[in-house]
Amino acid sequence: MVIKAGIVFNYLQLPDVSQFPFVISKRTDKFFIQKGLFVYTESNEGFLIGIIDRIILLNEYFSDALTIKAYNTNNNPNILKGLFPSEDFEFAIAIVKCLGIIKFKNNSKTNIDKILRMTYPASPGREVYIVEEDLLNEFIGLDKEKGLNLGKVKVTNTNAKINMNRLLNKHYAILSISGGGKSYLTSVLIEELLKREEDYGTPAIILFDVHGEYLYLNKVPELKERVSIQDISYFQISVPKMPIYFFKKYQEDISNVQVRELAKFIKKLKRDEKKKNQYTIGDIIELIENELDGNKSTRQALIGWLSDLERLTLFGPQENPILDNIIEKQKITIFNLQKEISIRKKQIIVDYICNRLFYLRRLNKVPPFLLIIEEAHQFCPEAAHSKAISKPIIEMIAREGRKFMSCLCLISQRPKRLSTTALSQCNSKMVLNIKNPYDLKHLMDSSEAITKEYANMISSLGVGEMLLMGAAINYPIFVDIREREYRSDTEEISLAQICLNWQNKQLK
Ligand SMILES: Nc1ncnc2c1ncn2[C@@H]1O[C@H](COP(=O)(O)OP(=O)(O)OP(=O)(O)O)[C@@H](O)[C@H]1O
Ligand SMILES: [Mg+2]
């Protein structure tokens, strides 16, 4: 159904090439013309599409100070109202930002061939209509059939069904202040991916859950089959699979001389038929202790560093879990880091898993995957002084992952602290409320699509609203995020209830 919105007219030097005003038709139905609505008009160049940028209400009566004074001083304004029907003089105008001229394929009205830049203004007197849903889907680049349903495109009735290929072919970031709804949105995305039709094809998901917020997923009967939770207390890095430079990476105080010494001992162990694929850091230490040749102080220092590594209890003869076996398409593997306090240990775990995953992916031993990193600023910080062990591999996946179908999702509440290299590779951005001016500036620097105008809108977004921009769609849109289908029983408990429960626990 074609809905007429109004008529283009002349107002304050407009229309020009980039904007046109129209007088909003008075409506009898319930349909409201709102800011953010997509509209079109036939201009001399063809089908001109735009978005309502501003709405202004005008009333000639009240533009004159003397009339208002008369209104105010008269004891009975109703008499004046009877004499002058001021309400009939009220009218609304909308200022539309032009987005492009749509050229259709074979004269159809829905199949877009290409979108051209405007070079000529809209014509005053022409009618303005609301863009219909099918065309809007195509214009924005949504996938009505197989897309991931994140909610509704703001002010319209269109579902924001994001094309999965366009979102996951490149990387994306979810950014907002703390409590802005990043984890909530991530849960919505995970629901969509896990519940997609099997024959649509869906990558594996790997998620580092820093606060244990996603553990509820394996209690949901419909999803349980597709969720595997890996408790980090059983996590083990295989020492025989560790290249020598990993020792230096995980224990950066080891000097180059000591690394050379260490290489000799590892070579020796690799020659040992019994120990070959089974040795631990303890075995290396033992070997060094029994060695009599060479520089004693180098050996002693090396033992010190290795013992320190061993105390992290992350290293063993074999990898656990064996990543090649647990990563499966359309299944999510959640690494629960909730109980781990040491940031160094967390970084080592994330580094090892990312390295192995990317290596296995390059050998085609695991399916294409989506790697979700919560609190990404902890694992891939910008500042040079906060050397994060996991930073190089995350930046490498950000730079090269696309060629191997390895998609990164970086989630952060402090975009400013997040590595610019990694952030600028996130071609799509889901931005929820951000208030901090430094973070906003950083965001504007890392993406040319975020103008000052968008930055202002981002700082006033409410909970459940986001701005989606970048490679996933053709044109930035505001989305009302849908409710998630499943939730854990514990998360809605109030502070007061937790206090009450706590008291009861103490009394028992
Ligand atoms: N789309 C939404 N609809 C309804 N409630 C929401 C929505 N998004 C977030 N919330 C609510 O807002 C609160 C904070 O959300 P969430 O935990 O996702 O924030 P966050 O950005 O991940 O915060 P943090 O940075 O601290 O991890 C939650 O209680 C959640 O229920
Ligand atoms: Mg969160």
Side-chain angles (χ1 to χ4, degrees):
M1 192 184 61
V2 182
I3 301 177
K4 190 176 147 186
I7 302 225
V8 182
F9 83 126
N10 280 108
Y11 176 71
L12 303 176
Q13 313 266 315
L14 292 177
D16 63 11
V17 173
S18 58
Q19 284 181 316
F20 69 81
F22 72 88
V23 181
I24 299 175
S25 319
K26 275 235 172 347
R27 307 202 62 84
T28 43
D29 51 27
K30 291 249 167 68
F31 197 92
F32 283 113
I33 304 289
Q34 286 167 289
K35 179 179 164 149
L37 210 61
F38 290 85
V39 292
Y40 71 87
T41 178
E42 285 292 336
S43 83
N44 288 359
E45 290 182 292
F47 191 101
L48 172 62
I49 187 165
I51 185 167
I52 297 184
D53 193 30
R54 265 191 310 152
I55 294 182
I56 306 164
L57 268 185
L58 289 179
N59 193 327
E60 283 289 317
Y61 257 102
F62 296 104
S63 60
D64 177 15
L66 281 177
T67 327
I68 297 171
K69 194 175 163 207
Y71 236 89
N72 272 343
T73 47
N74 197 300
N75 288 338
N76 190 355
N78 285 335
I79 298 176
L80 263 185
K81 258 191 195 159
L83 284 175
F84 306 106
S86 58
E87 275 162 25
D88 291 350
F89 277 73
E90 181 178 292
F91 64 103
I93 57 179
I95 310 279
V96 177
K97 188 165 87 183
C98 303
L99 302 175
I101 307 284
I102 298 183
K103 293 287 169 205
F104 292 99
K105 277 182 202 153
N106 320 324
N107 284 338
S108 74
K109 276 282 174 204
T110 43
N111 289 334
I112 299 178
D113 184 22
K114 54 188 170 191
I115 297 164
L116 307 175
R117 266 173 181 278
M118 308 74 59
T119 54
Y120 199 76
S123 312
R126 292 272 169 87
E127 284 169 334
V128 180
Y129 300 96
I130 312 284
V131 177
E132 281 164 72
E133 192 174 332
D134 281 349
L135 179 61
L136 188 61
N137 270 308
E138 200 170 323
F139 178 71
I140 300 175
L142 299 172
D143 180 351
K144 203 173 155 193
E145 208 181 317
K146 300 181 183 172
L148 310 172
N149 185 7
L150 301 188
K152 289 245 186 271
V153 179
K154 231 178 174 16
V155 226
T156 70
N157 215 6
T158 305
N159 283 329
K161 291 186 114 183
I162 314 299
N163 183 312
M164 187 198 80
N165 291 327
R166 289 185 64 172
L167 180 68
L168 303 189
N169 260 347
K170 294 179 181 157
H171 313 297
Y172 68 98
I174 302 181
L175 309 165
S176 85
I177 51 169
S178 174
K182 299 179 293 298
S183 307
Y184 193 100
L185 172 61
T186 309
S187 302
V188 171
L189 263 162
I190 293 172
E191 278 178 12
E192 285 294 313
L193 287 167
L194 295 185
K195 293 188 76 178
R196 245 164 89 86
E197 299 275 333
E198 257 173 53
D199 54 4
Y200 286 176
T202 307
I205 312 172
I206 297 104
L207 185 149
F208 293 110
D209 188 357
V210 188
H211 303 298
E213 289 168 289
Y214 300 91
L215 305 180
Y216 75 95
L217 283 170
N218 87 332
K219 298 209 178 67
V220 176
E222 292 92 326
L223 301 180
K224 221 158 91 187
E225 297 275 290
R226 299 192 179 276
V227 181
S228 133
I229 307 233
Q230 298 295 329
D231 189 339
I232 233 61
S233 359
Y234 303 111
F235 179 81
Q236 231 176 42
I237 294 173
S238 152
V239 183
K241 278 200 188 132
M242 259 168 74
I244 188 90
Y245 69 90
F246 271 41
F247 286 90
K248 171 112 177 123
K249 181 162 67 169
Y250 296 155
Q251 182 61 279
E252 62 170 18
D253 295 324
I254 300 187
S255 71
N256 289 340
V257 178
Q258 289 158 1
V259 169
R260 271 204 298 280
E261 195 73 10
L262 176 64
K264 274 192 245 161
F265 292 107
I266 289 180
K267 229 181 200 167
K268 233 183 214 176
L269 276 169
K270 286 209 188 285
R271 278 200 298 266
D272 184 337
E273 273 309 313
K274 260 199 267 160
K275 288 271 171 195
K276 209 169 157 181
N277 297 318
Q278 288 290 329
Y279 62 88
T280 62
I281 292 188
D283 291 321
I284 306 176
I285 295 175
E286 200 183 310
L287 199 66
I288 303 174
E289 274 171 346
N290 294 337
E291 178 71 46
L292 299 172
D293 291 350
N295 186 333
K296 196 172 169 207
S297 64
T298 311
R299 289 204 312 269
Q300 283 308 323
L302 195 51
I303 289 175
W305 299 132
L306 290 177
S307 311
D308 181 57
L309 269 186
E310 201 185 20
R311 272 195 296 275
L312 294 175
T313 61
L314 285 176
F315 302 91
Q318 267 158 4
E319 177 177 276
N320 185 47
I322 298 175
L323 291 172
D324 338 15
N325 297 347
I326 58 165
I327 308 297
E328 282 183 60
K329 65 171 191 207
Q330 212 177 16
K331 293 202 173 164
I332 182 167
T333 308
I334 300 174
F335 289 95
N336 178 11
L337 301 175
Q338 185 185 15
K339 291 187 196 135
E340 189 50 69
I341 300 163
S342 153
I343 182 75
R344 178 169 166 224
K345 264 176 97 169
K346 283 196 271 195
Q347 286 177 355
I348 292 180
I349 293 168
V350 169
D351 175 79
Y352 183 78
I353 294 172
C354 291
N355 262 297
R356 286 286 296 158
L357 275 175
F358 196 40
Y359 172 76
L360 292 169
R361 181 62 212 130
R362 274 180 298 191
L363 299 182
N364 211 10
K365 288 194 173 166
V366 291
F369 61 77
L370 161 66
L371 180 61
I372 305 177
I373 306 184
E374 272 268 4
E375 310 281 344
H377 52 276
Q378 284 186 13
F379 301 104
C380 192
E382 170 68 356
H385 58 82
S386 54
K387 278 187 194 144
I389 294 164
S390 44
K391 183 175 169 180
I393 181 66
I394 295 176
E395 288 191 340
M396 182 155 134
I397 300 180
R399 279 195 312 268
E400 296 173 24
R402 194 172 64 82
K403 297 177 199 111
F404 303 98
M405 309 248 157
S406 312
C407 172
L408 263 185
C409 164
L410 300 178
I411 303 178
S412 175
Q413 41 175 283
R414 285 313 311 271
K416 186 162 183 350
R417 298 233 187 103
L418 191 58
S419 147
T420 322
T421 313
L423 188 58
S424 60
Q425 295 292 331
C426 292
N427 297 64
S428 301
K429 293 195 175 72
M430 299 183 183
V431 188
L432 301 119
N433 189 331
I434 296 181
K435 292 243 183 311
N436 186 315
Y438 296 107
D439 284 331
L440 279 170
K441 177 151 188 327
H442 188 68
L443 210 57
M444 279 159 74
D445 291 345
S446 74
S447 161
E448 68 280 5
I450 303 185
T451 56
K452 198 149 178 49
E453 193 192 339
Y454 277 118
N456 283 340
M457 287 195 248
I458 290 168
S459 61
S460 62
L461 287 174
V463 171
E465 296 176 324
M466 73 155 165
L467 169 66
L468 169 64
M469 59 197 335
I473 42 167
N474 302 332
Y475 183 78
I477 46 169
F478 287 91
V479 177
D480 282 320
I481 299 165
R482 73 163 172 79
E483 272 202 21
R484 53 179 185 199
E485 283 173 48
Y486 314 104
R487 50 193 65 217
S488 65
D489 340 322
T490 50
E491 74 197 64
E492 300 294 312
I493 300 181
S494 67
L495 170 67
Q497 192 58 48
I498 292 176
C499 294
L500 283 172
N501 293 354
W502 178 257
Q503 205 175 30
N504 295 343
K505 192 173 150 193
Q506 306 298 71
L507 289 174
K508 264 182 210 165

